[in-house]
Amino acid sequence: MSEPRMSRVLRPETLTAVGIIAVAAAFMIPALELKAISALLPVAMLTGLIVLSVILLITDQRKAAAGDVAEPMTKAPMRVAGAFLLIVAYVGATSLIGFYAATTIAVPLVAYIFGYRNLLGLAAATVIVVGTIYLVFDFAMAQQFPTGLLWGK
């Protein structure tokens, strides 16, 4: 007896892509109402999310058209819950210890948890990500990120 085929619309990656597009589009409305310099980062990030989600959607639909069977969304529920908890912890850490300190901890931690074990690569990625953010936003654009409750600003 053959397994019933899942609807192409109900595939986990398709639902994820559509959900991200919808949420990013909803956040785009208030982001576009900000002053130009303040809107730059959120609009760029939201646009990037939308573009990447469209790519995910197209890729997943091509797989579906080729007859690929999607893996169930609940195959690794602890990984999904862990990723959500990491996001919540990062937001909390940003308000407590500041953006740069939280990002310096979060970048290698997330990469390590999700399987990247090269310590030199983790250090390089952290320096590149945090350094680039600093150079573009703090140094070149004079936009300061939150310093956190512990540092008092």
Side-chain angles (χ1 to χ4, degrees), residues 1 17 19 29 36 45 48 55 60 65 74 78-79 93-94 98 110 112 114 119-120 131 136 147 153:
M1 186 168 179
I29 295 166
M45 291 177 72
I55 293 169
D60 191 50
T74 58
M78 291 307 293
R79 182 173 255 189
T94 299
V110 169
Y112 188 85
F114 283 98
L119 295 180
L120 185 59
V136 170
T147 55
K153 226 178 183 187

Side-chain angles (χ1 to χ4, degrees), residues 70-139:
E71 292 185 23
M73 193 177 293
T74 58
K75 184 175 180 183
M78 291 307 293
R79 182 173 255 189
V80 173
F84 179 75
L85 290 174
L86 283 172
I87 292 168
V88 171
Y90 177 66
V91 170
T94 299
S95 72
L96 184 63
I97 62 173
F99 174 80
Y100 289 113
T103 304
T104 300
I105 295 167
V107 168
L109 180 64
V110 169
Y112 188 85
I113 288 171
F114 283 98
Y116 190 78
R117 301 287 191 251
N118 182 327
L119 295 180
L120 185 59
L122 291 170
T126 303
V127 168
I128 290 168
V129 169
V130 176
T132 302
I133 291 170
Y134 173 77
L135 287 175
V136 170
F137 293 100
D138 211 320
F139 183 72

Side-chain angles (χ1 to χ4, degrees), residues 46-68:
L46 292 168
T47 301
L49 277 173
I50 291 170
V51 168
L52 291 173
S53 295
V54 167
I55 293 169
L56 174 63
L57 180 62
I58 291 168
T59 303
D60 191 50
Q61 287 303 300
R62 283 187 177 168
K63 286 180 184 177
D68 182 56

Side-chain angles (χ1 to χ4, degrees), residues 1-7 69:
M1 186 168 179
S2 68
E3 199 174 299
R5 273 189 95 168
M6 180 188 297
S7 167
V69 178

